[in-house]
């Protein structure tokens, strides 16, 4: 059994849902070393989130952002408003999706379905760069 840990840094992204699977894989080449395992992805922020969803049609990400804004609108009567109108809705949206994912590794690849990808959901207008910790546990390939 072997463990590895890597840090991923995402450049600042505009508000919305962003497909980041390839960005993660480029920054965590250690995944390729594992025959079988589990990768935990933990986003170190409270106004952004991670989720797995459609990796093909970008309209799905646009529609998701639209629905999240309906679920947690900026004009709700929030008490926590000192950090701007988009902050508290960002916290709500982050809690809805969460900040961590567990994805199996099979033969050096994330065992995602054909139409699945990892999304970074930025819930602030100006959230800045985001940090992700990736922890891998498993059996390395004998290659």
């Amino acid at each position: 059994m072997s463990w590895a840990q890597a840090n991923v840094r995402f450049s600042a992204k505009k508000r919305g849902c962003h497909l980041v699977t390839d960005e993660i894989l480029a920054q965590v080449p250690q995944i390729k070393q594992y025959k079988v395992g589990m990768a935990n992805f933990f986003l170190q922020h409270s106004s952004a989130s991670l989720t797995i969803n459609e990796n093909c049609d970008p309209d799905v990400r646009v529609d998701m952002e639209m629905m999240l804004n309906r679920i947690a609108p900026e004009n709700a009567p929030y008490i926590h408003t000192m950090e701007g109108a988009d902050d508290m809705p960002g916290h709500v949206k982050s809690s809805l999706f969460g900040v961590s994912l567990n994805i199996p590794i099979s033969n050096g690849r994330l065992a995602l379905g054909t139409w699945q990808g990892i999304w970074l959901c930025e819930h602030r207008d100006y959230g800045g760069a985001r940090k992700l910790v990736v922890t891998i546990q498993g059996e390395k390939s004998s290659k």
Side-chain angles (χ1 to χ4, degrees), residues 28-116:
V28 190
Q30 300 93 314
I31 291 170
K32 295 177 186 173
Q33 300 171 2
Y34 286 82
K35 178 180 175 183
V36 63
M38 183 65 70
N40 173 266
F41 301 86
F42 180 77
L43 188 65
Q44 297 179 300
H45 302 277
S46 62
S47 57
S49 60
L50 293 174
T51 192
I52 295 174
N53 213 307
E54 169 79 44
N55 69 0
C56 186
D57 186 352
D59 290 344
V60 176
R61 296 191 300 276
V62 172
D63 288 343
M64 186 68 76
E65 173 65 12
M66 182 257 310
M67 290 308 301
L68 286 169
N69 290 330
R70 287 187 181 181
I71 293 167
E74 287 189 7
N75 61 356
Y78 301 112
I79 296 169
H80 174 74
T81 59
M82 290 181 61
E83 296 178 58
D86 64 342
D87 187 48
M88 190 58 215
H91 294 311
V92 172
K93 295 169 188 178
S94 177
S95 288
L96 289 172
F97 280 156
V99 295
S100 68
L101 300 171
N102 287 311
I103 303 174
I105 299 171
S106 296
N107 297 315
R109 299 178 59 127
L110 296 177
L112 293 165
T114 302
W115 306 111
Q116 290 182 320

